[in-house]
Amino acid sequence: MEKPKKSLLSKIGFGLLYLFLGGFAIIQIYPLVWLLFFSLKSNKEVFGMSPFALPQDPQWGNYTKAWTSGNIGVYFFNSVWITVLSVVLTIILASFVTFAVTRMHWKFSGLVLGLFLVAYMIPLHSTIIPLFKMYNSANLIDNPISIVLSYTAFNLPLTIMILLGFYKTFPREIEEAAVMDGCSIHRIFFQITLPMTVPVLSTTAIINMIYNWNEFVFVNTFISSDKWKTLTVGINNFVGQYLTDWGAIGATLVISIVPILLAFLFLSDKIVEGMAAGSVKG
C-alpha cells in the first residue's frame, strides 16, 4: 500500500504545480490580450466602458491609421535596421574582446576587461549631455549613427560579462589542436570559437534586441526628424494637444511587440542553452 499512496501524492503534487503554472501563465499573457482588445476600441469605448470590456465594434482601422497616417511604417523599418545593426556590432565586438582577454596573453588584458566591466556601472542618463556635445561636434545629431553607436557602447559590458562565463568553461583543447594543425588566430576565432558560441550569442542577441527595440531616451534626445525616428518615439504622433487617439496608440504598441515575441519564440531554445552553457563545466 506504500507505493500507491506515494503515487497518488505525486500526482496531486504535479497537479497543483501545473495548476499554479497555468494560472501564472494566464497572468503573464492577459496584458497582451488586453492590449489587443484595447487597440480595437474607439476613444468613446476606452473612456465610456470598463477597461476589461470587449470592444463592441472592433476598430480594425486603427491599424491602418497607425501604419499610414501615423507614419508607423517608417518608424518600424527604422527600429528594425537600427536594432539589427546594433545587435550585430555589439556581438562581434564583445566576442573580439572576450576572445582577446581569455585566449590571448598580453600585459593589460586584466585592466582592459576591468574598464569594460566598470562601464556597466555608469548610469545611462548621466551620459546624455556629454554624448550630445560629442555627437554635436561630430555632426551626428539627427543621424542614426549616433543611436547605433550609443546602443553598441552601452550593451558591450553586459554582453562581455555573459560571454566571459562561457569562454572560461570553453575547452581550450579544441583551439590547441587547431594551432597544432597550423590554423591562424583569425581562423580559430571565426571558424571554431565563434560557431561554437552560438547558444550564448543567441542569449545576448535577444537581450540586446529587447533593450534596443524599447529604448526611448537616446532616440528622443539625438533624433529630431521623422525619417529617422523609431517606434518608441513615433507613438507620440497620436498624442495631440486636445485629443489623443488611444486606439491608434494601442495598435502601434501591438505592432511594436510582434517582432520581440517572434524573436523570442524562434530563439527560445537557444536562449535556454546559452543560459545553461556558462554554468556547466565543459
Side-chain angles (χ1 to χ4, degrees):
M1 298 295 292
E2 189 72 23
K3 288 185 178 179
K5 187 178 291 187
K6 285 185 178 180
S7 177
L8 179 62
L9 289 175
S10 64
K11 288 182 179 179
I12 294 174
F14 277 113
L16 292 174
L17 177 61
Y18 289 141
L19 185 64
F20 171 77
L21 293 177
F24 189 74
I26 292 174
I27 293 173
Q28 294 292 316
I29 294 174
Y30 179 74
L32 299 178
V33 177
W34 179 88
L35 180 61
L36 176 62
F37 291 152
F38 180 83
S39 69
L40 297 175
K41 293 180 179 181
S42 61
N43 280 6
K44 183 179 179 181
E45 289 179 302
V46 169
F47 293 104
M49 299 172 56
S50 167
F52 303 103
L54 297 176
Q56 294 182 338
D57 182 21
Q59 303 293 315
W60 294 103
N62 287 338
Y63 287 89
T64 304
K65 186 188 302 182
W67 194 263
T68 55
S69 303
N71 210 26
I72 296 302
V74 174
Y75 303 148
F76 184 87
F77 176 74
N78 289 337
S79 291
V80 169
W81 78 261
I82 289 175
T83 297
V84 171
L85 180 58
S86 302
V87 169
V88 171
L89 282 176
T90 302
I91 289 176
I92 291 177
L93 293 177
S95 297
F96 285 162
V97 173
T98 310
F99 183 83
V101 169
T102 59
R103 293 298 189 266
M104 303 171 69
H105 300 286
W106 43 294
K107 188 174 181 180
F108 298 106
S109 61
L111 176 62
V112 171
L113 178 61
L115 289 175
F116 275 105
L117 298 184
V118 166
Y120 184 62
M121 297 185 290
I122 299 176
L124 180 148
H125 298 88
S126 67
T127 64
I128 294 296
I129 295 177
L131 283 176
F132 187 90
K133 289 183 177 180
M134 183 180 71
Y135 291 146
N136 191 41
S137 300
N139 293 322
L140 291 178
I141 294 298
D142 199 24
N143 189 320
I145 294 177
S146 62
I147 305 301
V148 173
L149 292 176
S150 300
Y151 289 174
T152 303
F154 274 90
N155 286 328
L156 267 178
L158 178 60
T159 307
I160 291 172
M161 286 177 62
I162 297 174
L163 293 177
L164 200 63
F166 182 84
Y167 271 74
K168 286 187 175 180
T169 61
F170 189 74
R172 295 174 179 266
E173 290 77 9
I174 299 175
E175 295 165 334
E176 291 172 356
V179 172
M180 295 297 292
D181 290 336
C183 197
S184 67
I185 191 70
H186 303 92
R187 290 188 60 190
I188 290 174
F189 176 77
F190 285 106
Q191 297 184 11
I192 298 176
T193 306
L194 196 62
M196 294 188 71
T197 58
V198 167
V200 72
L201 291 180
S202 301
T203 303
T204 58
I206 192 66
I207 292 173
N208 291 336
M209 179 183 174
I210 292 173
Y211 170 81
N212 295 346
W213 189 266
N214 296 322
E215 201 279 326
F216 176 83
V217 176
F218 285 143
V219 179
N220 193 50
T221 305
F222 303 143
I223 301 296
S224 57
S225 60
D226 282 345
K227 67 177 181 178
W228 299 125
K229 287 182 180 179
T230 58
L231 275 173
T232 51
V233 178
I235 293 175
N236 289 328
N237 282 1
F238 298 105
V239 179
Q241 183 177 1
Y242 303 105
L243 180 66
T244 299
D245 194 337
W246 293 103
I249 290 177
T252 304
L253 292 174
V254 171
I255 293 172
S256 68
I257 64 176
V258 169
I260 297 294
L261 291 177
L262 291 177
F264 187 81
L265 288 175
F266 284 113
L267 295 175
S268 58
D269 294 338
K270 295 292 184 182
I271 292 170
V272 174
E273 291 177 22
M275 292 177 66
S279 61
V280 180
K281 288 288 182 182

